[in-house]
Amino acid sequence: MNKAYVIVGASLAGAKAAETLRQEGFDGPLVLIGDETELPYERPPLSKDYLLGKAEREMIYVHPQSWYAEHGVDLRLGVPVAGIDPAAHEVTLADESRVGYAKLLLATGSSPRRLPVPGSDSGGVLYLRRVADSDRIKLTYQTASRVVVIGAGWIGLETAAAARSAGVEVTVLEAGELPLLRVLGREVAQVFADLHRDHGVDLRFGVQVAEITESGGRADGVQLADGSRFDADAVIVGVGITPNIQLAEAAGLEVGNGVVVDARLRSSDPDVYAAGDVANAYHPGLGRHIRVEHWANALNQPQTAARTMLGQDVVYDRVPYFYTDQYDLGMEYAGYVEPGGYDQVVFRGDLERREFIAFWLARGRVLAGMNVNIWDVNDAIQAVVRNGRTADADRLANPEIPLEQVLGD
Ligand SMILES: Cc1cc2nc3c(=O)[nH]c(=O)nc-3n(C[C@H](O)[C@H](O)[C@H](O)COP(=O)(O)OP(=O)(O)OC[C@H]3O[C@@H](n4cnc5c(N)ncnc54)[C@H](O)[C@@H]3O)c2cc1C
Ligand SMILES: NC(=O)c1ccc[n+]([C@@H]2O[C@H](COP(=O)([O-])OP(=O)(O)OC[C@H]3O[C@@H](n4cnc5c(N)ncnc54)[C@H](O)[C@@H]3O)[C@@H](O)[C@H]2O)c1
């Protein structure tokens, strides 16, 4: 029987799984296969320090090149996996070679949604997922005088902030009523709208993009359904992602908003696992499946998947966490709130100065907390979220009461 452990997707989740397998003593063949030609890298800098020219390329890599050979990881880059044969325990690569596996981890991540309007394939229409995309946007900011950003989610807001830092005029066109509305709700979404307006971004909400116009094959503006038009030297599109489930689906695994896995990150096939952006995992603390599209999940979840692959009895139950940096605002968020799934927001600190903690509550229970320009408090916020007891809003709001004592005895 084949003894190899195979990981498909050579990015953060894939590289972390390989690392944990070796740390935990797995000494069999280990194959990490990715369709990008780049060594496994982290994506957050691509819309922040790397895009801003403040970080060198070397700092994005999960491990230096030598690490893979030193740890006996057979790293195969630039080659997509084309199919999985669960019965034969084999994956087929695009070059038609086959690799057998004893256990298989899917860490195939996600891909940007394309904007389904005329002109969205013109030159100068830029998406951001890979390091080459970030290079293209950085280059664009050196020559463009104005850009239009479609979507006021994470990509839209972070690239808008980087554009302003490069002195480029920015219009952001968002279908919803506020930026990040589904994630943060109205009260906190407003903070991000104010932040960007204060930095000179022209934010437009409730818009319907009809067309990206072009001249000579290059985007030169965006036309809205109401007839209004915005000129642009380039258009950046950040309208969400879809999980890369194609391999899993074709192999007959259970899929639904990602590859469906249990709290141990096992798929419906006993020898196939999934982690990172692509995994829709049962979360014991929340009592439901969630798919998290953030860095900390891609960093930590594969460690659990790797241990499960080795037969250890572990579950993934970390509090979901993410962060952003935009202009002089840095924040961390811990917890999980369904869109509209809260009935109260409590602020502690100074909202005007953007130095505060926000808590989202439902029936008195703290579902999530976010620290903005206040540091070394996120562990305490996670403890409050994990605790699950009802909280007193006055105590939460009172900065005199340490977060560790906010729930009382
Ligand atoms: C620009 C940017 C900035 C971000 N900033 C933040 C941030 O500040 N904070 C935060 O919390 N999160 C951030 N994120 C989100 C975070 O980067 C993702 O959650 C994380 O990259 C997910 O990692 P992953 O390894 O699961 O998937 P991915 O990073 O998507 O990697 C999957 C890999 O698998 C490859 N692959 C797919 N299919 C195949 C196949 N069939 N064969 C071979 N290879 C395949 C893909 O090409 C890719 O290389 C950011 C994302 C982007 C794009
Ligand atoms: N700091 C971070 O955590 C961070 C940073 C960058 C990227 N990411 C991740 O990268 C992925 C992609 O980010 P994203 O910003 O593309 O997705 P997103 O889901 O965060 O935001 C997409 C935004 O586009 C809007 N939108 C959708 N269709 C539209 C249309 N036709 N016209 C105008 N607006 C439209 C949505 O209302 C939403 O506000 C996500 O998984 C995200 O979590 C995370």
Side-chain angles (χ1 to χ4, degrees):
M1 187 187 146
N2 197 304
K3 296 226 169 46
Y5 279 22
V6 173
I7 302 168
V8 183
S11 184
L12 179 57
K16 279 286 154 190
E19 181 184 325
T20 306
L21 285 168
R22 287 303 188 218
Q23 269 170 0
E24 294 292 315
F26 176 67
D27 60 4
L30 179 50
V31 189
L32 176 56
I33 310 168
D35 58 3
E36 294 186 69
T37 49
E38 207 72 33
L39 283 177
Y41 60 94
E42 305 202 18
R43 297 180 203 272
L46 306 186
S47 52
K48 305 182 194 66
D49 281 3
Y50 182 76
L51 179 58
L52 289 163
K54 291 184 185 168
E56 296 300 320
R57 194 150 176 133
E58 283 64 44
M59 65 80 67
I60 69 174
Y61 297 117
V62 184
H63 300 298
Q65 177 140 26
S66 56
W67 183 91
Y68 298 92
E70 282 161 16
H71 291 81
V73 177
D74 177 1
L75 180 62
R76 303 195 191 174
L77 295 176
V79 51
V81 170
I84 305 169
D85 182 341
H89 276 61
E90 274 182 355
V91 295
T92 308
L93 277 52
D95 60 10
E96 296 190 359
S97 60
R98 287 164 178 269
V99 181
Y101 65 82
K103 305 271 181 196
L104 174 69
L105 175 69
L106 296 177
T108 47
S110 52
S111 302
R113 276 187 53 222
R114 301 278 141 175
L115 193 67
V117 299
S120 60
D121 293 326
S122 316
V125 178
L126 304 167
Y127 291 81
L128 177 52
R129 186 77 197 172
R130 296 183 166 186
V131 64
D133 301 328
S134 180
D135 288 336
R136 263 190 292 274
I137 295 174
K138 196 191 300 185
L139 208 60
T140 299
Y141 286 174
Q142 285 167 15
T143 53
S145 47
R146 60 195 160 183
V147 297
V148 167
V149 174
I150 302 178
W154 299 111
I155 292 285
L157 294 186
E158 291 179 2
T159 54
R164 294 301 298 134
S165 300
V168 179
E169 296 291 316
V170 187
T171 301
V172 176
L173 304 174
E174 163 61 42
E177 287 173 56
L178 281 170
L180 303 168
L181 185 59
R182 285 173 59 81
V183 195
L184 301 181
R186 185 169 297 283
E187 299 82 352
V188 180
Q190 189 61 51
V191 173
F192 283 86
D194 295 343
L195 172 73
H196 281 266
R197 287 209 166 108
D198 288 354
H199 284 84
V201 175
D202 180 9
L203 288 170
R204 306 291 175 112
F205 298 116
V207 305
Q208 200 187 333
V209 172
E211 183 181 355
I212 296 176
T213 57
E214 59 176 78
S215 56
R218 284 197 66 79
D220 66 1
V222 178
Q223 182 86 42
L224 300 186
D226 67 6
S228 51
R229 190 195 134 76
F230 299 88
D231 291 336
D233 301 317
V235 177
I236 296 169
V237 181
V239 294
I241 52 129
T242 49
N244 293 326
I245 58 164
Q246 301 84 346
L247 287 176
E249 192 168 31
L253 303 184
E254 186 185 350
V255 294
N257 183 29
V259 179
V260 177
V261 290
D262 66 10
R264 294 178 162 74
L265 308 175
R266 300 176 298 194
S267 79
S268 57
D269 180 300
D271 291 325
V272 183
Y273 305 76
D277 269 22
V278 78
N280 185 10
Y282 184 79
H283 192 288
L286 297 166
R288 53 160 293 178
H289 282 80
I290 56 164
R291 194 174 58 75
V292 178
E293 301 174 358
H294 291 287
W295 169 85
N297 186 66
L299 181 78
N300 296 312
Q301 218 176 36
Q303 300 176 33
T304 299
R307 292 194 172 99
T308 307
M309 290 165 84
L310 294 170
Q312 299 178 21
D313 185 13
V314 281
V315 296
Y316 188 75
D317 58 1
R318 279 179 181 253
V319 175
Y321 166 96
F322 57 80
Y323 67 94
T324 188
D325 295 309
Q326 297 170 29
Y327 312 105
D328 51 359
L329 181 150
M331 72 81 159
E332 298 173 285
Y333 176 108
Y336 180 77
V337 187
E338 300 252 24
Y342 65 91
D343 51 36
Q344 189 180 13
V345 177
V346 174
F347 289 103
R348 152 192 290 237
D350 192 334
L351 204 52
E352 287 280 291
R353 287 168 57 94
R354 299 187 189 114
E355 288 176 13
F356 64 88
I357 300 173
F359 295 99
W360 287 260
L361 286 77
R363 294 178 300 283
R365 273 191 58 191
V366 179
L367 303 179
M370 174 175 118
N371 47 300
V372 175
N373 288 342
I374 294 178
W375 302 107
D376 302 323
V377 292
N378 203 265
D379 286 347
I381 291 174
Q382 290 186 32
V384 171
V385 170
R386 215 179 290 111
N387 185 292
R389 283 187 11 224
T390 53
D392 181 278
D394 291 336
R395 289 178 69 85
L396 282 175
N398 184 350
E400 303 295 319
I401 301 176
L403 283 174
E404 289 74 12
Q405 293 163 23
V406 88
L407 294 177
D409 297 324

